[in-house]
């Protein structure tokens, strides 16, 4: 079972920041937080990941709380093309136990004009 | 650097036939994962392979499904004697070591 909890759906106005929350209260010390998205049933697209520090790349920012029990993915200026299902996943990275991703239901983000 | 490639993108089979799905990982990636997405459902892990080895097949159905990742060539997911319930999107992902997984575009299998 997925170790994360996300809202089922969210709306965001085009051009505004989209803030997608994720709860992972049972996260272990060696587990990373990963975010992927899936647009129109295409292959999942990697967005960003982090362990405990906040991270930023060209796509998004990831804010992880100090206790690591929750995080927020921020799309700074959402566009219509960001409409997708966003998945928050926790997984062990550098540990020889397979590294499979366990997808939950994700958050369906609708960016509206 | 080309991404993960999967072919065919669409595959139609009649019940009882065999389906072969191919996945070419990104250059430099030696780890391959297969996932399945049934209609209106989430993505489910099937199997994790490294070159010539199956590392984790905990998500594979016990019968009719097999996977390989030979020393040379793509990874193959093989489904024997397909049934309608096998209709789904099958996604392959690859990674260098056990790091970030990058997904291919998927193969849509339709069983008539």
């Amino acid at each position: 079972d997925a170790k994360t909890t996300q809202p089922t759906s969210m709306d965001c106005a085009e051009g505004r920041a989209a803030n997608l929350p994720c709860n992972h209260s049972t996260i272990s010390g060696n587990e990373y937080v990963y975010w992927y998205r899936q647009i129109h049933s295409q292959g999942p697209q990697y967005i960003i990941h982090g362990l405990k520090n906040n991270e930023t790349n060209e796509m998004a920012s990831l804010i992880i709380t100090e206790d690591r029990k929750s995080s927020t993915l921020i799309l700074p200026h959402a566009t219509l093309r960001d409409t997708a299902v966003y998945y928050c996943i926790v997984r062990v990275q550098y540990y020889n136990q397979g590294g499979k991703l366990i997808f939950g239901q994700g958050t369906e983000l609708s960016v509206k004009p | 650097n080309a991404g993960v490639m999967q072919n065919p993108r669409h595959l139609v089979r009649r019940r009882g036939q065999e389906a072969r799905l191919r996945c070419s990982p990104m250059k430099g990636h030696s780890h391959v994962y297969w996932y399945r997405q049934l209609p209106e459902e989430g993505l489910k892990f099937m199997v994790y392979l490294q070159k010539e080895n199956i590392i984790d097949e905990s998500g594979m159905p016990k019968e009719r499904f097999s996977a390989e990742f030979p020393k040379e060539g793509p990874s193959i997911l093989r489904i024997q004697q397909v049934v309608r319930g096998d209709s789904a999107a099958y996604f392959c992902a690859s990674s260098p070591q056990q790091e970030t997984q990058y997904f291919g575009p998927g193969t849509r299998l339709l069983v008539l």
Side-chain angles (χ1 to χ4, degrees), chain B residues 36-105:
Chain B
R36 178 168 69 172
Q37 189 168 34
L38 294 167
E40 307 303 322
E41 293 191 17
L43 287 139
K44 303 292 184 185
F45 166 79
M46 298 182 75
V47 62
Y48 162 41
L49 310 101
Q50 295 179 33
K51 283 288 186 180
E52 299 186 279
N53 290 303
I54 296 174
I55 307 301
D56 180 357
E57 56 182 347
S58 59
M60 286 280 270
K62 300 299 181 192
E63 298 177 347
R64 302 186 298 106
F65 284 72
S66 63
E68 63 178 8
F69 189 17
K71 186 176 181 180
E72 302 291 337
S75 175
I76 306 289
L77 179 68
R78 181 183 178 203
I79 312 172
Q80 294 179 289
Q81 299 176 314
V82 296
V83 301
R84 288 201 173 129
D86 296 333
S87 295
Y90 293 82
F91 294 100
C92 167
S94 73
S95 71
Q97 306 300 323
Q98 292 185 40
E99 299 172 19
T100 301
Q101 295 177 31
Y102 295 90
F103 284 78

Side-chain angles (χ1 to χ4, degrees), chain A residues 11 14 33 35 37 46 67 74 87:
Chain A
D11 290 341
E14 188 178 19
V33 179
W35 284 84
R37 71 181 182 183
Y46 165 75
D67 63 8
I74 301 173
Y87 296 99

Side-chain angles (χ1 to χ4, degrees), chain A residues 36 38 41 93 95 98-99 101, chain B residues 35 37 48 58 98 101 108:
Chain A
Y36 284 81
Q38 189 175 27
S41 296
Q93 179 163 317
Y95 188 61
L101 297 172
Chain B
Y35 295 82
Q37 189 168 34
Y48 162 41
S58 59
Q98 292 185 40
Q101 295 177 31
R108 272 78 182 166

